[in-house]
Amino acid sequence: MSSPARNPTGRGANRNHAGRGALTNPAGRFESQSAERADDGWGSLEEDLPPLSTTVMPEQARSIISRNRSPDIPFEQSINPYRGCEHGCIYCYARPSHAYLNLSPGLDFETRLFFKANAAERLEKELSRPGYRCRAITLGANTDPYQPIEKRLHVTRDILDVLRRFHHPVTIITKSALVERDIDLLAEMARERLAKVMFSITTLDNDLKRTLEPRTASPAARLRALAAVSAAGVPTGVMVAPIIPAVNDGEIEAILERAAEAGVQSAGYTMLRLPYALKDLFEEWLHTHLPLRAEHVLNLIRDSRGGKLYDADFRTRLHGSGRYAELIAQRFRLAKRRYGLARRGTEPLDATRFRVPSAQMELWDQAKNLT
């Protein structure tokens, strides 16, 4: 795949991309070539570039279930239906993964998308293998399984339908109201303790959302979807993620209060993570959108990351360390207790129901659903 010409990283680079989170398109860390904008004498550097279009390409997955070996991640298996994410969240820790496609973690990540066209077919084959051991699968561990292109591609819904037929447990992590579309499948699975949905809510401030995570559902839409999924009998939780020092940390209590009112049963959080090129992209966003606060935010991040902007130590990377991180942890515990989330909890998903469906079982399940 050839590498497209890119805007250079830097605060003077073009920013005329409405509805996008990243401001520039720096080269990925594995690229051997780079491009710079140059003035040709015709004033082209001062001209606005045309709006960025989104391209979506299919790919044939050789395998579909990813296995996790990190001791700080609370799941063993995951599926990522998409590579890249149109939501455009500037803080997304998955951005650097686009470098493996020889693409940029910046604007490429949110405009050059890939979907696993054979996801359901591969999943069915992998679940049918002799010796497969059932453990809950997480959808949304990397990019959002309900990003806007899912509305027409249905990759996530097709995956859910396979999991339903195999009676396989699944946890979904999303910040999209599109999950409501699949309440029929999720409610059926939840009756057998096979499904749970975690909603990521970063802010309740619409103005902040527009620049921080520009193409996500509004906070109000997420809360409505959360309430609808909960009302359908599907266990739900809320992730306040990521907590960004001096940006959205003041909203922890308000988010948990609204989520509790909507019916969530559990709550968690993560601190902002800035691996690889994400550090530069996020700093650029800060100096553009919150210039008066930028240095204070960066200093608090360093305070919670051992003096650096990112520390990959699995013992601290999710929740940070130091005085500021300890204060956040204490506030979160107190807020959970205040809104009844410390006492609540969801039963673990049931992996004992898993079975490879036969034609006779499929007919029996269909008849059961008709009664």
Side-chain angles (χ1 to χ4, degrees):
M1 183 180 296
S2 62
S3 174
R6 300 204 171 94
N7 300 325
T9 304
R11 294 172 200 164
N14 179 74
R15 291 187 175 84
N16 298 302
H17 298 298
R20 303 296 180 182
L23 303 175
T24 52
N25 213 33
R29 66 187 187 278
F30 301 126
E31 292 187 46
S32 58
Q33 297 180 340
S34 62
E36 293 184 3
R37 299 174 73 208
D39 192 344
D40 59 4
W42 293 89
S44 59
L45 288 183
E46 285 72 44
E47 295 174 1
D48 288 346
L49 294 177
L52 281 174
S53 59
T54 299
T55 63
V56 183
M57 296 291 292
E59 63 178 16
Q60 297 295 314
R62 287 179 291 181
S63 64
I64 195 66
I65 301 176
S66 300
R67 268 78 186 187
N68 166 57
R69 295 183 179 87
S70 299
D72 58 335
I73 304 297
F75 55 83
E76 295 182 61
Q77 300 192 130
S78 64
I79 295 175
N80 294 301
Y82 299 100
R83 295 214 262 185
C85 187
E86 200 174 1
H87 279 161
C89 305
I90 189 57
Y91 52 74
C92 182
Y93 59 79
R95 281 182 178 272
S97 65
H98 239 42
Y100 294 109
L101 301 173
N102 206 31
L103 294 171
S104 172
L107 291 166
D108 280 352
F109 178 78
E110 49 195 284
T111 61
R112 302 190 68 175
L113 312 178
F114 300 83
F115 70 96
K116 296 176 182 177
N118 62 335
E121 175 189 345
R122 286 301 317 161
L123 179 59
E124 189 158 351
K125 288 180 179 177
E126 291 180 27
L127 296 182
S128 299
R129 286 175 181 163
Y132 172 78
R133 184 163 68 91
C134 180
R135 292 155 291 171
I137 285 174
T138 295
L139 297 178
N142 205 39
T143 57
D144 201 309
Y146 286 103
Q147 59 180 284
I149 54 174
E150 166 63 17
K151 189 172 183 178
R152 62 183 175 85
L153 293 177
H154 291 240
V155 180
T156 297
R157 183 173 176 89
D158 291 344
I159 289 170
L160 277 180
D161 192 48
V162 172
L163 295 173
R164 178 193 63 82
R165 291 192 293 107
F166 279 73
H167 297 261
H168 196 295
V170 62
T171 295
I172 294 171
I173 305 171
T174 185
K175 56 189 65 174
S176 173
L178 182 58
V179 69
E180 282 190 76
R181 180 200 64 189
D182 294 338
I183 280 180
D184 58 334
L185 298 179
L186 293 168
E188 179 184 339
M189 296 177 75
R191 286 193 287 271
E192 297 184 348
R193 287 179 31 225
L194 295 174
K196 178 180 180 179
V197 179
M198 298 292 294
F199 284 84
S200 174
I201 301 180
T202 316
T203 180
L204 299 174
D205 182 334
N206 282 312
D207 291 334
L208 177 59
K209 185 215 82 80
R210 287 187 191 101
T211 59
L212 189 67
E213 40 187 36
R215 295 199 173 196
T216 60
S218 70
R222 270 179 255 186
L223 288 165
R224 286 194 299 269
L226 194 164
V229 173
S230 296
V234 181
T236 56
V238 64
M239 288 295 297
V240 185
I243 292 175
I244 306 173
V247 175
N248 69 336
D249 56 354
E251 298 188 67
I252 292 171
E253 291 81 3
I255 292 172
L256 290 187
E257 180 180 15
R258 296 290 299 279
E261 291 170 354
V264 298
Q265 297 164 301
S266 61
Y269 78 96
T270 62
M271 295 288 289
L272 177 68
R273 295 162 54 190
L274 296 173
Y276 300 111
L278 190 53
K279 290 187 286 292
D280 294 332
L281 290 166
F282 182 75
E283 187 172 354
E284 185 177 57
W285 178 90
L286 262 181
H287 282 284
T288 300
H289 294 289
L290 299 171
L292 300 181
R293 241 185 290 173
E295 291 307 320
H296 179 53
V297 172
L298 294 170
N299 285 335
L300 286 174
I301 293 172
R302 292 187 185 99
D303 183 68
S304 64
R305 296 294 181 190
K308 300 177 285 187
L309 287 180
Y310 182 60
D311 183 1
D313 189 331
F314 68 82
R315 292 169 297 184
T316 59
R317 64 177 177 170
L318 293 185
H319 298 120
S321 61
R323 292 171 299 175
Y324 174 80
E326 290 169 5
L327 175 62
I328 293 296
Q330 184 179 18
R331 282 178 55 196
F332 202 85
R333 284 194 301 269
L334 291 173
K336 282 179 65 175
R337 191 181 309 160
R338 181 184 309 164
Y339 300 115
L341 295 174
R343 297 189 303 273
R344 299 184 199 174
T346 56
E347 291 184 88
L349 298 178
D350 188 354
T352 66
R353 297 175 183 270
F354 173 78
R355 63 178 184 267
V356 178
S358 64
Q360 187 175 358
M361 285 180 179
E362 296 262 274
L363 289 171
W364 172 253
D365 284 342
Q366 290 172 19
K368 221 173 29 167
N369 290 331
L370 291 174
T371 58

